[in-house]
């Protein structure tokens, strides 16, 4: 269920900054049509940090409704407060989600034992499958492989989104966890190499605007056809790179708006519009990948 191309979906907003359900429904249908494996709703790419709890919950439930059982929905439920992460998770029980993505607590910089206790507490308070999310460039805290291995012993901790870009992490984790524990890339640039070394897929930003291409690339990689997969990946590489020239999700929201996938290019402060220079680079990348003529 959670292998291949999983999209970290953006949260479209109206001009006044409210959740835009029309655009969200359109995005969900786009991913169903283009064979995305699953959708992460209100992850960090979905601007979870600037949505209040009511909006957070509403957006996830709306995504589930629009999916109508045709694509699995993974809810972003991470927080730097253990209590808040548990509350977000428990509120979504019996909601129709298939799992939760829970980010390493940001700003607090907990010890490895603190990280273990945080995710242990979440696991013990829900039956919903949990995917850990390690992204030290954004959280300021790196969950080390030994901690991941310890957490993999919990039955409902089913995998990790590893976004360090460090390909050596795959074997350090994979060699010590149960066979069905998922190791998923969180870095589009290195995702194909990650899969070639034994990873199960990618939770992708690029898939927001190139769902078909990402889906096909991951399908080929899972079939061990890395020659064909790499042809697609090389074509997408300028997009992978351009989407992170400004902080995510600023570039991907601009690109989705430029492609008329969402009605408005609305971000919430402290996020600000895409710089003019990056607009030029990203537009060129979209042309190189044949996303726009």
């Amino acid at each position: 269920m959670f292998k291949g191309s999983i999209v970290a979906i953006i949260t479209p907003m109206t001009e006044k900054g409210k959740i835009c359900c029309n655009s969200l429904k359109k995005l969900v249908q786009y991913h169903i049509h283009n064979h995305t494996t699953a959708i992460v709703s209100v992850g960090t790419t979905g601007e979870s940090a600037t949505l209040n709890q009511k909006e957070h919950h509403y957006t996830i439930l709306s995504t589930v409704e629009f999916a109508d059982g045709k694509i699995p929905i993974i809810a972003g439920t991470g927080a730097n407060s253990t209590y808040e992460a548990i509350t977000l998770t428990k509120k979504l029980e019996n909601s129709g989600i298939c799992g939760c993505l829970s980010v390493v607590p940001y700003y607090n910089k907990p010890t490895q034992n603190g990280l273990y206790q945080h995710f242990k507490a979440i696991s013990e308070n829900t039956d919903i499958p949990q995917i850990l999310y390690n992204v030290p460039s954004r959280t300021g805290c790196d969950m080390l492989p030994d901690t991941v291995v310890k957490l993999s012993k919990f039955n409902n901790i089913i995998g990790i989104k590893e976004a360090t870009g460090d390909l050596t992490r795959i074997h350090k984790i994979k060699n010590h966890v149960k066979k069905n524990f998922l190791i998923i890339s969180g870095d589009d640039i290195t995702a194909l190499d990650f899969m070639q070394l034994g990873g199960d897929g990618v939770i992708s930003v690029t898939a927001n605007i190139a769902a078909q291409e990402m889906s096909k690339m991951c399908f080929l990689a899972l079939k061990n056809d890395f020659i064909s997969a790499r042809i697609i990946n090389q074509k997408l590489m300028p997009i992978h790179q351009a989407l992170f020239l400004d902080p995510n999700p600023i570039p991907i929201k601009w690109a989705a708006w430029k492609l008329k996938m969402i009605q408005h290019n609305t971000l919430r402060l402290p996020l600000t519009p895409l710089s003019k220079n990056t607009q030029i680079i990203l537009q060129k990348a979209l042309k190189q990948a044949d996303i726009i003529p």
Side-chain angles (χ1 to χ4, degrees), residues 73-139:
I73 305 301
I74 303 166
T77 54
N80 64 340
S81 157
T82 305
Y83 175 80
E84 183 180 350
I86 291 170
T87 301
L88 279 169
T89 303
K90 289 185 71 64
K91 198 172 181 181
L92 289 164
E93 288 178 346
N94 304 311
S95 66
I97 64 167
C98 295
C100 291
L101 181 68
S102 193
V103 70
V104 162
Y106 42 89
Y107 185 78
N108 298 329
K109 299 185 84 170
T111 63
Q112 294 301 305
N113 183 52
L115 293 174
Y116 175 79
Q117 295 298 336
H118 171 81
F119 289 111
K120 175 177 181 286
I122 296 170
S123 171
E124 290 176 340
N125 277 277
T126 186
D127 292 326
I128 302 174
Q130 300 290 306
I131 300 172
L132 312 171
Y133 178 17
N134 188 37
V135 56
S137 64
R138 299 296 289 253
T139 62

Side-chain angles (χ1 to χ4, degrees), residues 142-159:
D142 186 4
M143 182 160 56
L144 300 177
D146 286 349
T147 305
V148 177
V149 171
K150 284 176 66 179
L151 287 166
S152 72
K153 308 299 181 189
F154 292 92
N155 288 334
N156 63 337
I157 296 180
I158 64 167

Side-chain angles (χ1 to χ4, degrees), residues 83-286:
Y83 175 80
E84 183 180 350
I86 291 170
T87 301
L88 279 169
T89 303
K90 289 185 71 64
K91 198 172 181 181
L92 289 164
E93 288 178 346
N94 304 311
S95 66
I97 64 167
C98 295
C100 291
L101 181 68
S102 193
V103 70
V104 162
Y106 42 89
Y107 185 78
N108 298 329
K109 299 185 84 170
T111 63
Q112 294 301 305
N113 183 52
L115 293 174
Y116 175 79
Q117 295 298 336
H118 171 81
F119 289 111
K120 175 177 181 286
I122 296 170
S123 171
E124 290 176 340
N125 277 277
T126 186
D127 292 326
I128 302 174
Q130 300 290 306
I131 300 172
L132 312 171
Y133 178 17
N134 188 37
V135 56
S137 64
R138 299 296 289 253
T139 62
C141 183
D142 186 4
M143 182 160 56
L144 300 177
D146 286 349
T147 305
V148 177
V149 171
K150 284 176 66 179
L151 287 166
S152 72
K153 308 299 181 189
F154 292 92
N155 288 334
N156 63 337
I157 296 180
I158 64 167
I160 182 168
K161 175 186 177 183
E162 182 61 58
T164 58
D166 178 3
L167 297 175
T168 67
R169 291 284 175 103
I170 302 162
H171 295 302
K172 289 176 183 176
I173 296 170
K174 198 175 184 70
N175 291 343
H176 302 284
V177 294
K178 53 200 173 192
K179 189 176 180 180
N180 60 347
F181 188 81
L182 298 167
I183 307 175
I184 303 168
S185 172
D187 178 47
D188 280 305
I189 292 172
T190 59
L192 182 58
D193 294 328
F194 189 98
M195 293 182 71
Q196 193 159 7
L197 291 169
D200 295 296
V202 57
I203 295 179
S204 170
V205 174
T206 300
N208 276 282
I209 57 169
Q212 187 178 66
E213 293 84 351
M214 288 298 296
S215 176
K216 188 173 181 181
M217 185 194 80
C218 289
F219 174 80
L220 290 166
L222 290 171
K223 294 288 186 181
N224 292 317
D225 185 357
F226 290 101
I227 294 173
S228 301
R230 200 159 295 281
I231 292 169
I232 298 170
N233 192 54
Q234 287 305 109
K235 194 171 184 179
L236 292 174
M237 188 58 70
I239 297 178
H240 296 333
Q241 294 169 334
L243 287 177
F244 291 91
L245 291 175
D246 281 17
N248 182 48
I250 294 172
I252 190 60
K253 254 197 165 173
W254 180 87
W257 169 74
K258 191 76 177 174
L259 293 165
K260 302 188 186 307
M261 298 174 75
I262 57 176
Q263 293 176 331
H264 301 282
N265 179 30
T266 304
L267 298 153
R268 287 187 180 175
L269 288 171
L271 297 180
T272 52
L274 188 66
S275 65
K276 295 292 184 183
N277 185 54
T278 306
Q279 287 181 31
I280 294 167
I281 296 169
L282 182 49
Q283 183 146 335
K284 183 179 178 182
L286 293 170

Side-chain angles (χ1 to χ4, degrees), residues 17-37:
K18 303 294 183 182
I19 308 303
C20 182
C21 284
N22 289 337
S23 290
L24 180 59
K25 185 175 183 179
K26 184 179 176 182
L27 291 176
V28 172
Q29 290 172 341
Y30 166 76
H31 288 290
I32 293 168
H33 178 73
N34 287 290
H35 309 294
T36 299
T37 304

